[in-house]
Amino acid sequence: MSNWKDTDIVEVDQPELTAAERLYLPQIVGGMKTTVFRHLLRKRVRDEKVVQYPEQKVTVRKENYRGVHRLNRDEQGRVACVACFMCATACPANCIHIEGAESPWPDREKYPVRFEIDELRCIYCGMCEEACPVDAIELTPLYHLVGTSREEMIFDKERLLEIFDETKDEKPRKNPSITGY
Ligand code: SF4
Ligand code: SF4
């Protein structure tokens, strides 16, 4: 037997729509108000935040932005790296490959004959920079990393030294004479 009583039932009349409501006019006007007044009038504010890359570049914090790597030069223009492998050991992405050799200079034991970083494998964590005892490897404010093949994105010693030349004015080497060379 049902527990419902007649008073529990509420009958609702279907509202009569006006002609405008049948044509969705209130909804169309409401939508246009949102488009014109809210979005179009705010467009100027949005435009100020949009950067038209590559014609325009965003400004990054030069001191600590972790972009493309560079291999620093010492004061005599030689590669500052002493091929100690600390950066490659610290790298969690295993993207640094170094081949060391006996140094041709009397002020250090070794230097890198080959130094490569796979910029596509890198996660830009900065561990290599932290691990380097002579501040020879650093991350730079460069963020436009573009290439058409994987091979092209493996930066060798010469490319990494070129990046030092490109960025040294913008971001000077942190400790240029940390080990005296
Ligand atoms: S930034 Fe991190 S992932 Fe990239 S090379 Fe350095 S240690 Fe490896
Ligand atoms: S870049 Fe620094 S940590 Fe890496 S091998 Fe050279 S000296 Fe060692």
Side-chain angles (χ1 to χ4, degrees), residues 70-72 79-89 96 98 111-112 115 127-138 181:
R70 73 183 187 193
L71 266 184
N72 292 338
V79 62
C81 172
V82 294
C84 69
F85 289 75
M86 293 285 279
C87 54
T89 307
I96 303 179
I98 306 166
Y111 86 120
F115 195 113
M127 296 285 280
C128 49
E129 182 174 340
E130 294 297 323
C132 182
V134 293
D135 279 345
I137 186 166
E138 279 182 67
Y181 49 76

Side-chain angles (χ1 to χ4, degrees), residues 69 87 90-93 95-96 117 122-129 139:
H69 307 75
C87 54
C91 176
C95 59
I96 303 179
I117 302 181
C122 173
I123 55 170
Y124 299 90
C125 64
M127 296 285 280
C128 49
E129 182 174 340
L139 299 171

Side-chain angles (χ1 to χ4, degrees), residues 31-181:
M32 291 307 287
K33 258 170 40 190
T34 304
T35 305
V36 174
F37 294 111
R38 207 179 295 165
H39 295 311
L40 282 187
L41 295 184
R42 282 194 192 163
K43 185 174 180 301
R44 204 171 61 83
V45 178
R46 280 203 318 276
D47 284 350
E48 285 166 11
K49 293 181 185 164
V50 172
V51 174
Q52 301 296 330
Y53 184 84
E55 288 79 17
Q56 290 177 342
K57 305 274 191 303
V58 292
T59 309
V60 295
R61 291 182 61 181
K62 294 182 178 53
E63 322 81 55
N64 57 4
Y65 185 79
R66 297 203 294 260
V68 183
H69 307 75
R70 73 183 187 193
L71 266 184
N72 292 338
R73 293 184 192 274
D74 65 13
E75 283 161 350
Q76 297 173 51
R78 305 169 301 182
V79 62
C81 172
V82 294
C84 69
F85 289 75
M86 293 285 279
C87 54
T89 307
C91 176
N94 194 24
C95 59
I96 303 179
H97 301 284
I98 306 166
E99 206 178 301
E102 193 178 332
S103 164
W105 309 301
D107 57 358
R108 68 189 80 169
E109 287 178 17
K110 291 199 301 172
Y111 86 120
V113 277
R114 188 171 144 248
F115 195 113
E116 287 177 355
I117 302 181
D118 186 339
E119 297 287 335
L120 292 185
R121 264 187 89 106
C122 173
I123 55 170
Y124 299 90
C125 64
M127 296 285 280
C128 49
E129 182 174 340
E130 294 297 323
C132 182
V134 293
D135 279 345
I137 186 166
E138 279 182 67
L139 299 171
T140 70
L142 296 187
Y143 56 83
H144 41 275
L145 194 59
V146 184
T148 52
S149 68
R150 173 160 278 277
E151 292 70 35
E152 208 181 313
M153 302 312 288
I154 297 174
F155 285 13
D156 62 9
K157 189 173 85 174
E158 283 64 40
R159 181 78 190 101
L160 293 165
L161 285 168
E162 271 172 26
I163 296 170
F164 172 74
D165 297 334
E166 281 168 30
T167 57
K168 66 179 189 304
D169 295 333
E170 193 180 0
K171 182 185 175 184
R173 190 178 164 193
K174 263 190 295 187
N175 295 301
S177 51
I178 190 168
T179 52
Y181 49 76

